[in-house]
Amino acid sequence: MELTPRQLQIIDIVKENEPITSEEIAEKLNISRAALRPDLSILTMAGILEARPRVGYFYAGKHTKNLIAEKIREIKVNDIKSVPVVVREDASVYDAIVTLFVEDVGTLFVVHDDGSLAGVISRKDLLKIAIGNADIRQIPVSVIMTRMPNLITCTPEESAYDAARKIVVHQVDALPVVKTEEINGKIKYKVIGRITKTIITKLFVELGTI
């Protein structure tokens, strides 16, 4: 969020004179209260100023970068996740490559027959096997996938910040969003979504334009 020159001036006035009423701020700026009202609303909703009835305005001490950081921690993975693209573990590498291009994704999630998470295949994994001499129509994806439990996952309740941090720290392109379920007497991970670098980037851009 980029503040206007007048909004920055209002912040300076409040810092120097807090508590200060809207009438006093308008007088110092030589404008009407009606003209001042939209700026005060923006600064108050953004958390930069705090309004107290019958007292006036205070500087809350929050900066834009802190507001964005707080917001991305408030947003849950469940709010931004997209539909997962999955293949069965007995699907061929050829079928996986076709799925990758048809769905226009960079990561595929491999699932067991019961729908639980079995592994993950990246674009790089498929490229490595495709440029060799192997018959990709005969090789199942289970041969090349990264298996559980060596997978990085996230849950719907986690924050967007936590998901983004996992992507950066573990240097992956996407995370499966999972929830635990008891299947055939065993606790397994059911894939219910995905979080990607693109999703996080779009979120960052949206927050920057608020």
Side-chain angles (χ1 to χ4, degrees), residues 26 32 34-35 38 41 78 88 98 105 145 158 176-177 190-191 196 200:
S32 66
S41 296
N78 194 56
R88 299 288 182 179
V98 171
V105 295
M145 70 182 184
E158 288 185 59
V177 183
K190 190 82 170 183
V191 183
T196 67
I200 296 298

Side-chain angles (χ1 to χ4, degrees), residues 1 13 25 46 71 80 167:
M1 182 178 68
I13 290 173
I25 297 174
K71 186 64 178 178
I80 61 173
I167 287 175

Side-chain angles (χ1 to χ4, degrees), residues 77-111:
V77 164
N78 194 56
D79 299 325
I80 61 173
K81 73 180 190 300
S82 63
V83 177
V85 180
V86 303
V87 293
R88 299 288 182 179
E89 58 184 333
D90 59 355
S92 70
V93 170
Y94 174 83
D95 290 335
I97 293 174
V98 171
T99 302
L100 192 80
F101 281 97
V102 170
E103 299 292 343
D104 192 23
V105 295
T107 303
L108 299 174
F109 304 128
V110 184
V111 296

Side-chain angles (χ1 to χ4, degrees), residues 30-49:
N30 196 28
I31 60 175
S32 66
R33 286 183 62 195
L36 177 65
R37 191 172 297 116
D39 291 318
L40 288 177
S41 296
I42 290 172
L43 293 173
T44 303
M45 288 189 294
I48 298 173
L49 297 184

Side-chain angles (χ1 to χ4, degrees), residues 98-153:
V98 171
T99 302
L100 192 80
F101 281 97
V102 170
E103 299 292 343
D104 192 23
V105 295
T107 303
L108 299 174
F109 304 128
V110 184
V111 296
H112 297 293
D113 290 337
D114 59 15
S116 62
L117 182 63
V120 170
I121 305 173
S122 69
R123 185 188 289 111
K124 186 181 296 185
D125 295 328
L126 294 172
L127 179 61
K128 285 180 180 178
I129 191 71
I131 61 177
N133 295 320
D135 185 353
I136 60 175
R137 292 179 182 271
Q138 299 299 322
I139 299 175
V141 294
S142 57
V143 172
I144 65 169
M145 70 182 184
T146 300
R147 296 175 174 274
M148 290 292 289
N150 301 314
L151 301 180
I152 308 302
T153 65

Side-chain angles (χ1 to χ4, degrees), residues 62-80:
K62 294 183 179 180
H63 299 285
T64 303
K65 64 180 181 179
N66 293 332
L67 294 172
I68 292 177
E70 289 180 7
K71 186 64 178 178
I72 201 171
R73 283 181 169 86
E74 292 174 0
I75 297 172
K76 301 302 181 183
V77 164
N78 194 56
D79 299 325
I80 61 173

